[in-house]
Amino acid sequence: MAEISVIVPAYNAEKYLENTLKSILDQSFKDFEAILVDDGSIDKTPDIMAAYAAKDKRIKIIRQPNKKLPAARNAGMDAAVGKYIYFADADDILHPQILEFLYQACEKERADFACCYFEAVEENKLPEIPVYNQNVSNEVVDSPLEFMCANRKKINNNVWTKLYRTSALAGLRFADNQGVEDLYFNILAMRRFSKGVFVPLVMYYYILSSGSITRREFKIEKLHVHMDCYKRLQKDFESKPDLWRLIKRRIVNRSFYGMVKEVSELPKEKARELKAVWKTQIRTFKKAGIIGTESLSLRKKVKLFFFMLF
């Protein structure tokens, strides 16, 4: 049985997938299985997967109709046999030591997860990748969710900076809320974790490709998905009001403001169209205590005020 299950969902990823797979197979840590989930691709993604699987027996392939990223990751989790689970996106690059360092951190501290920094890089501009030595001062995290709320740069929303102990996830799966699935998954995961480790190294390279989900055309559905996620979080933590207030103040409000900023930067006609649909929901959610302005700077509060006014 492999120590780590690396799960890679892919949809029409032919342009980037080979580089991602090479970075996985070049890992210094060798005891892993790579579960490639073809989420209904109609390009050469299945052929690339098959070619790599023919060369390396650690690769397993799951094929399914297009069900979107959360369902593809869940399919990979259902098939995983590793002691740990690691998620990678099909258009990014892994540092060759990421599995080794995160695994060793978890094992040494008997932690539920380990995480690291990432670097966002423009397509075709990958920086020189350093070789790290073992003399790293890791930070032990005893209250993961509270630490995540207070240290967003260290424990961010993304799943691909983290190695998870499979048993600690205990049946947790991704919700059908693409665009905010990582945030929701990590908040629920950190709630159940008792211990983690932060490795202060850049070990994942997020490629800013033209096909990335975050760079596609902004649609009103994205706004609704985010707001529905915040509403679900409020319900999930209704029995722990103090913890909900912390999550709302340090994570939800900032995530919400990020959406406001993104809409505000759109062309005027498009922004006006989205705001006309969204304002009523914003007012309803503010009244219900699901979103607010706590922890936002004065500048952000002013920007939000004008967003709602005009």
Side-chain angles (χ1 to χ4, degrees):
M1 183 175 75
E3 284 292 284
I4 300 176
S5 295
V6 180
I7 299 172
V8 187
Y11 173 71
N12 291 347
E14 64 178 10
K15 185 177 179 181
Y16 310 101
L17 182 58
E18 287 199 70
N19 288 334
T20 302
L21 294 180
K22 287 176 183 177
S23 74
I24 293 172
L25 298 179
D26 287 344
Q27 289 293 305
S28 57
F29 186 91
K30 303 299 183 183
D31 189 7
F32 66 85
E33 62 172 356
I35 302 174
L36 313 182
V37 185
D38 173 27
D39 191 37
S41 298
I42 55 176
D43 64 356
K44 294 181 180 179
T45 293
D47 297 332
I48 295 170
M49 289 181 173
Y52 273 81
K55 294 186 291 185
D56 196 313
K57 63 181 181 181
R58 293 175 296 179
I59 295 178
K60 301 176 182 178
I61 300 174
I62 297 174
R63 292 192 173 91
Q64 64 181 33
N66 182 240
K67 298 179 181 180
K68 298 186 179 180
L69 180 60
R73 284 181 176 160
N74 289 341
M77 293 179 74
D78 291 341
V81 299
K83 182 178 181 180
Y84 296 93
I85 287 177
Y86 178 80
F87 299 99
D89 282 357
D91 54 357
D92 294 334
I93 302 295
L94 284 65
H95 186 284
Q97 295 168 287
I98 185 171
L99 296 185
E100 175 190 353
F101 275 56
L102 296 187
Y103 175 85
Q104 289 179 352
C106 276
E107 287 290 286
K108 179 181 178 181
E109 302 295 340
R110 297 183 180 179
D112 298 316
F113 76 101
C115 62
C116 61
Y117 286 125
F118 77 96
E119 182 177 347
V121 297
E122 291 292 338
E123 191 174 352
N124 300 321
K125 292 184 180 179
L126 188 68
E128 184 175 346
I129 297 178
V131 176
Y132 296 126
N133 60 46
Q134 298 292 336
N135 188 24
V136 180
S137 297
N138 296 334
E139 183 175 357
V140 176
V141 178
D142 291 322
S143 300
L145 184 52
E146 288 84 348
F147 188 90
M148 179 182 180
C149 290
N151 299 273
R152 304 293 290 119
K153 291 184 179 180
K154 293 181 178 180
I155 303 183
N156 54 48
N157 298 342
N158 305 311
V159 296
W160 24 258
T161 53
K162 301 169 186 67
L163 181 71
Y164 303 91
R165 186 179 293 272
T166 306
S167 59
L169 293 175
L172 179 64
R173 294 295 184 266
F174 289 88
D176 184 18
N177 52 4
Q178 183 162 319
V180 72
E181 70 280 348
D182 285 17
L183 180 148
Y184 187 68
F185 180 89
N186 274 315
I187 289 176
L188 297 189
M190 295 302 155
R191 177 175 64 175
R192 64 173 65 191
F193 293 164
S194 59
K195 190 176 186 181
V197 186
F198 174 69
V199 179
L201 299 170
V202 174
M203 306 198 79
Y204 190 91
Y205 301 93
Y206 175 72
I207 307 301
L208 296 170
S209 61
S210 57
S212 295
I213 290 173
T214 53
R215 287 197 163 193
R216 294 174 189 168
E217 182 183 1
F218 199 104
K219 296 181 179 180
I220 190 65
E221 289 78 11
K222 181 176 180 179
L223 303 174
H224 294 325
V225 167
H226 274 250
M227 300 300 277
D228 288 346
C229 173
Y230 307 153
K231 184 177 180 180
R232 185 181 296 187
L233 283 170
Q234 184 193 45
K235 182 173 179 58
D236 289 336
F237 287 89
E238 62 184 356
S239 63
K240 296 184 177 181
D242 291 342
L243 190 51
W244 161 245
R245 281 192 289 270
L246 180 63
I247 294 168
K248 175 189 171 185
R249 183 171 68 250
R250 302 306 299 268
I251 299 180
V252 169
N253 288 346
R254 295 180 182 188
S255 174
F256 164 65
Y257 177 79
M259 299 289 289
V260 169
K261 183 174 183 293
E262 194 170 349
V263 172
S264 298
E265 293 173 351
L266 292 172
K268 288 184 179 180
E269 287 300 319
K270 183 64 175 178
R272 195 157 35 237
E273 174 190 341
L274 291 171
K275 287 198 288 185
V277 177
W278 201 29
K279 281 184 179 180
T280 300
Q281 189 177 36
I282 291 176
R283 293 189 181 97
T284 300
F285 276 46
K286 286 185 68 177
K287 187 175 181 180
I290 298 172
I291 55 175
T293 58
E294 303 95 329
S295 85
L296 297 183
S297 66
L298 178 60
R299 181 181 61 82
K300 292 179 178 179
K301 289 178 181 179
V302 169
K303 188 166 185 176
L304 181 58
F305 172 78
F306 279 100
F307 177 88
M308 293 297 294
L309 191 62
F310 299 103

